[in-house]
Every structure is written in C-alpha cells, then in structure tokens.
Amino acid sequence: AYTRTLCLEMEHRTGYLADSVLHTVYLGGGTPSLLSADELGQLFATMERLFHLAPQAEVTLEANPNDITADYVSQLADTPVNRISMGVQSFHDDTLRLIGRRHRAADVYRAVDLLSQRGYNISLDLIYGLPGQDLRAWSDDLREALSLPIHHLSAYALSYEEGTPLHRMLEQGLVEEADDETSLAMYELLIDQCEQ
C-alpha cells in the first residue's frame, strides 16, 4: 500500500520537475531497504515513466547494514540503484545495543564487502556524542569507517529528539548528554582524521 501511495504521489507531483533531467535520486528518510526488490522496481518504473532520469544518474538507497544480504544485493542489480548510504552510527556493539540499533559492527563489514564487490558507491553515517562515547571510542569509529572502501562519510552530532526511547533514557538519568566541549573535540577529531 505504501509503495502504491508513493507512486501516486509521484504522479501528482510530476509538474515540479517538468522537463528536468534528474541527475540524483535519493531514497531515504527512513529505511527504504525494507522494501522488496519488486517494490523498488515499482518505484523506479513509475519514476522512469514520469521523469527524465539521466543515464548516469546517482541513485542512492538508504539502508540498515543488516538489510544488506547477498540476495538483496543481487536483487538490487535489477534496479538503477548505484549508491548505498548506510546508517552505521558506531562500530561499538554495546553502543549500538544501547541506542536500539538492529545491526552489529560485523554486519557493517559484511555489507561493505558485498557492496564493494559489486562496485557500489558506499556512504556511511556515523554519530558522535553518543551515550558513554569518549574521544577514544569516537576515534576508533572514525578509524574503522575510514579504513573501509567507502566514497562518502557523514557524521552527525547526536540530538535527543522528544518522544524517542533515547530521550526518555536521558530524562530518567540513564544516559548523559555530551557537553559542548566534548562535542567540539569530537568534531575537531573528525576533521583531523578525515584530512589525514
């Protein structure tokens, strides 16, 4: 039903991009890797019918690392997707469990290996200022990410959004928010390690 609705939304919004050639397409804002290859196929068939997709367009799919299996990568070959953006957040399993992520560090390595074998452009997202994360742990996360065959790295400072489990943990005193000095030091470390 969601896929059908999204296709209908594209139908209604064709005027926004009338006569434009699309050079980038980004499927994100959630976990589109939960969509089956058939559902993705419906989206792309609608997109290609309604819009002018450049032959060499960059087509990105956001994914959780544990959604990237050999079968899924094989099925993606039938779509225009050529870039995968994975929400890694951290390479520390205890941190991933604490923030409620479904994957573990091993899933990231496996997914990157599968995707790089097929020639995908790979992007990873990391978060700094996570509960219990110090400069050493952040440095470890950066080192791990930058050691992989990726093309892009996004790094975000953690924000505690009201209504989320992490925000409730903060309110209950179960986790502590990183102070401004720590966040700044983490940001500077990010810049330094990326420049190196």
Side-chain angles (χ1 to χ4, degrees):
Y2 176 76
T3 306
R4 284 193 307 274
T5 304
L6 199 52
C7 289
L8 188 59
E9 183 76 9
M10 282 191 269
E11 297 261 4
H12 288 301
R13 298 192 181 271
T14 53
Y16 287 131
L17 297 168
D19 302 322
S20 297
V21 176
L22 304 185
H23 294 279
T24 59
V25 174
Y26 195 97
L27 297 177
T31 313
S33 56
L34 290 175
L35 295 175
S36 69
D38 287 344
E39 290 164 330
L40 286 172
Q42 290 173 37
L43 292 179
F44 287 118
T46 301
M47 197 179 299
E48 289 169 344
R49 180 171 54 82
L50 297 173
F51 305 111
H52 306 290
L53 193 59
Q56 299 301 315
E58 180 183 81
V59 181
T60 303
L61 179 78
E62 273 190 12
N64 278 331
N66 56 327
D67 291 338
I68 302 298
T69 63
D71 284 347
Y72 195 76
V73 172
S74 217
Q75 293 168 10
L76 282 180
D78 295 330
T79 73
V81 172
N82 51 28
R83 182 175 184 265
I84 302 291
S85 177
M86 286 191 288
V88 172
Q89 318 322 0
S90 175
F91 286 88
H92 291 87
D93 287 346
D94 53 345
T95 302
L96 292 169
R97 273 190 290 277
L98 178 66
I99 63 173
R101 299 296 296 187
R102 291 188 287 129
H103 71 276
R104 298 297 168 253
D107 297 319
V108 177
Y109 301 121
R110 183 189 39 72
V112 168
D113 185 51
L114 286 169
L115 293 167
S116 61
Q117 286 177 31
R118 294 288 188 112
Y120 281 91
N121 178 332
I122 303 168
S123 173
L124 301 184
D125 293 353
L126 292 178
I127 298 178
Y128 60 94
L130 289 163
Q133 185 184 52
D134 57 16
L135 279 174
R136 179 183 288 270
W138 175 234
S139 180
D140 291 346
D141 282 343
L142 288 169
R143 188 176 56 253
E144 289 301 313
L146 295 171
S147 73
L148 296 171
I150 63 172
H151 302 86
H152 181 88
L153 177 68
S154 293
Y156 304 93
L158 177 65
S159 59
Y160 289 83
E161 299 295 330
E162 203 169 316
T164 63
L166 207 49
H167 187 265
R168 284 191 291 279
M169 290 170 70
L170 180 67
E171 287 180 320
Q172 295 166 3
L174 300 174
V175 296
E176 208 173 292
E177 194 168 3
D179 59 48
D180 290 345
E181 288 175 6
T182 302
S183 288
L184 179 58
M186 289 179 167
Y187 178 75
E188 289 171 343
L189 187 62
L190 164 69
I191 300 303
D192 290 346
Q193 287 200 20
C194 286
E195 282 177 348
Q196 290 172 25

